[in-house]
Amino acid sequence: MNALAKWLYGPAPVEYKVLLIGDYECGKTTFLDRLKFEQIREHPNHTVNVNVETVVYPKGYNWHIWEIGGIVSLPSDHLQDP
Ligand SMILES: Nc1nc2c(ncn2[C@@H]2O[C@H](COP(=O)(O)OP(=O)(O)OP(=O)(O)O)[C@@H](O)[C@H]2O)c(=O)[nH]1
Ligand SMILES: [Mg+2]
């Protein structure tokens, strides 16, 4: 079955997961927009928590890019000393 699917659809795409982190308003969404849409917005909204986009480059390679917003609301117990 696997061989049949491969013959019909070609090889499965290669999947990568990338974490995009950085200071508040450092340009993470702008960078992601440029990669995904090949254009940028002048005033993108602040990212709340997470923004995920998949960029295909080159064909057969899927890059799942997770932008973690600069303003992250974490439960307070994550912020306490161990
Ligand atoms: N001049 C200049 N401005 C930029 C650049 N990249 C982003 N900006 C501007 O900086 C501001 C913040 O950009 P975002 O891409 O929203 O930054 P962010 O890191 O995603 O912000 P958060 O999601 O709020 O953490 C926007 O007004 C962008 O237009 C750059 O390379 N040069
Ligand atoms: Mg952002």
Side-chain angles (χ1 to χ4, degrees):
M1 187 62 186
N2 204 15
L4 177 62
K6 198 171 175 180
W7 179 73
L8 286 172
Y9 303 112
V14 179
E15 309 285 345
Y16 292 110
K17 289 181 184 171
V18 178
L19 203 52
L20 180 59
I21 56 174
D23 284 345
Y24 171 69
E25 284 202 325
C26 72
K28 300 177 293 295
T29 299
T30 302
F31 176 68
L32 203 45
D33 282 354
R34 182 71 180 80
L35 287 177
K36 173 79 182 180
F37 305 110
E38 296 186 358
Q39 58 188 6
I40 59 173
R41 291 170 282 170
E42 201 166 327
H43 299 292
N45 291 331
H46 294 299
T47 303
V48 178
N49 296 325
V50 179
N51 170 29
V52 186
E53 295 288 354
T54 297
V55 177
V56 180
Y57 185 83
K59 188 174 177 231
Y61 290 79
N62 294 342
W63 300 79
H64 307 284
I65 304 177
W66 294 55
E67 177 202 351
I68 308 296
I71 304 174
V72 183
S73 56
L74 291 171
S76 58
D77 55 342
H78 284 272
L79 304 175
Q80 291 172 357
D81 290 333

